[in-house]
Amino acid sequence: CLYPADVVRFVEENAPHFKEGCIVTDVCGIKNQVCGKLTEIAKNYPFVYVGGHPMAGTQYSGFANSRADLFQGAPMVIVPKERDDILLLDRVKKLLTPAGFSHMTVTTAEHHDAMIAYTSQMCHVLSNAYVKSPRAQMHKGYSAGSYRDLTRVAWLNETMWTDLFLENRDYLLEELDRLIGYLGEYREALEQGNGTRLCTLLAEGRICKEKVDAE
């Protein structure tokens, strides 16, 4: 449970001391770089490496903000070397059972990073940029749930998230460009006073959300 580069360094330095046959996993928010390097290290030792990413967290960091129930009901993403190794996946599932995860998703490092760019990293970028408005300092008395939800993760660990963003920059840039394009459409409709176009854009977003929630 370290920053990506530190995870690789820690495993590299301590690999000779890991118990033979044990499972070694990590909780890094990116997987392509970490899994690739740790899989290579594991080839030279008798332990089994399986990438992991618990989809749970808060905007706070450090041991002082630890919570015993953090993983209760949360999804867990597993990135094994071989996705069809049923015996290994069963071992991992039993190992993680006490943490209380709701279910496990087994995927590749590449797919994980592409999805996380959208479901996690974009949310942090958007939240962090949103609170830079000078009106954020005057929000009390004018804000409710939508403001609170959108700004929660602006309170982040900038050192960690800088590492995560840079390591996953290709996928994150793709999502940022897509969002900027969509925002440009809303801006253009507003600038032109085009209510019909604006209503269509809003309806499209609502329909997308309905489809997501129906799944």
Side-chain angles (χ1 to χ4, degrees), residues 2-30:
L2 299 165
Y3 293 177
D6 293 329
V7 165
V8 175
R9 189 178 305 112
F10 179 88
V11 173
E12 197 166 34
E13 293 174 354
N14 291 277
H17 309 299
F18 294 150
K19 181 180 178 181
E20 183 175 348
C22 77
I23 291 177
V24 174
T25 189
D26 67 285
V27 296
C28 286
I30 55 165

Side-chain angles (χ1 to χ4, degrees), residues 104-138:
M104 292 196 323
T105 299
V106 181
T107 187
T108 64
E110 292 78 10
H111 185 67
H112 167 277
D113 288 0
M115 291 303 300
I116 291 303
Y118 173 70
T119 63
S120 177
Q121 294 184 346
M122 275 292 291
C123 300
H124 286 77
V125 171
L126 181 59
S127 180
N128 198 262
Y130 179 73
V131 295
K132 290 181 179 178
S133 168
R135 291 196 174 95
Q137 306 302 319
M138 302 177 282

Side-chain angles (χ1 to χ4, degrees), residues 2-205:
L2 299 165
Y3 293 177
D6 293 329
V7 165
V8 175
R9 189 178 305 112
F10 179 88
V11 173
E12 197 166 34
E13 293 174 354
N14 291 277
H17 309 299
F18 294 150
K19 181 180 178 181
E20 183 175 348
C22 77
I23 291 177
V24 174
T25 189
D26 67 285
V27 296
C28 286
I30 55 165
K31 295 269 73 83
N32 202 27
Q33 293 288 334
V34 173
C35 288
K37 292 175 181 177
L38 293 191
T39 298
E40 284 300 310
I41 294 173
K43 288 180 180 179
N44 301 313
Y45 298 94
F47 65 84
V48 180
Y49 169 68
V50 179
H53 185 191
M55 301 308 301
T58 71
Q59 65 268 41
Y60 308 113
S61 61
F63 286 112
N65 294 297
S66 300
R67 281 175 38 192
D69 63 347
L70 181 63
F71 299 146
Q72 289 290 327
M76 177 66 176
V77 181
I78 299 297
V79 184
K81 181 181 177 182
E82 304 292 340
R83 294 176 62 190
D84 57 354
D85 190 337
I86 304 302
L87 293 178
L88 174 60
L89 294 177
D90 187 59
R91 282 186 66 196
V92 172
K93 183 177 181 179
K94 290 178 179 176
L95 180 69
L96 296 174
T97 295
F101 291 107
S102 60
H103 64 279
M104 292 196 323
T105 299
V106 181
T107 187
T108 64
E110 292 78 10
H111 185 67
H112 167 277
D113 288 0
M115 291 303 300
I116 291 303
Y118 173 70
T119 63
S120 177
Q121 294 184 346
M122 275 292 291
C123 300
H124 286 77
V125 171
L126 181 59
S127 180
N128 198 262
Y130 179 73
V131 295
K132 290 181 179 178
S133 168
R135 291 196 174 95
Q137 306 302 319
M138 302 177 282
H139 81 89
K140 292 184 178 179
Y142 299 91
S143 59
S146 55
Y147 176 85
R148 183 172 59 251
D149 292 344
L150 184 55
T151 60
R152 180 179 68 82
V153 294
W155 194 334
L156 47 68
N157 178 337
E158 59 271 15
T159 303
M160 181 186 75
W161 283 100
T162 296
D163 285 354
L164 295 173
F165 289 165
L166 288 176
E167 289 285 0
N168 204 35
R169 59 183 174 272
D170 289 343
Y171 288 123
L172 184 54
L173 283 169
E174 179 184 329
E175 290 297 338
L176 271 172
D177 288 343
R178 184 178 291 117
L179 177 63
I180 290 169
Y182 289 143
L183 289 175
E185 294 179 355
Y186 288 88
R187 190 189 188 286
E188 182 180 1
L190 282 167
E191 187 175 46
Q192 295 175 351
N194 189 336
T196 301
R197 176 59 176 154
L198 182 59
C199 188
T200 298
L201 292 170
L202 294 171
E204 289 172 353

Side-chain angles (χ1 to χ4, degrees), residues 205-215:
R206 173 183 55 76
I207 292 168
C208 286
K209 178 59 175 171
E210 287 177 352
K211 290 180 179 178
V212 169
D213 288 350
E215 294 180 354

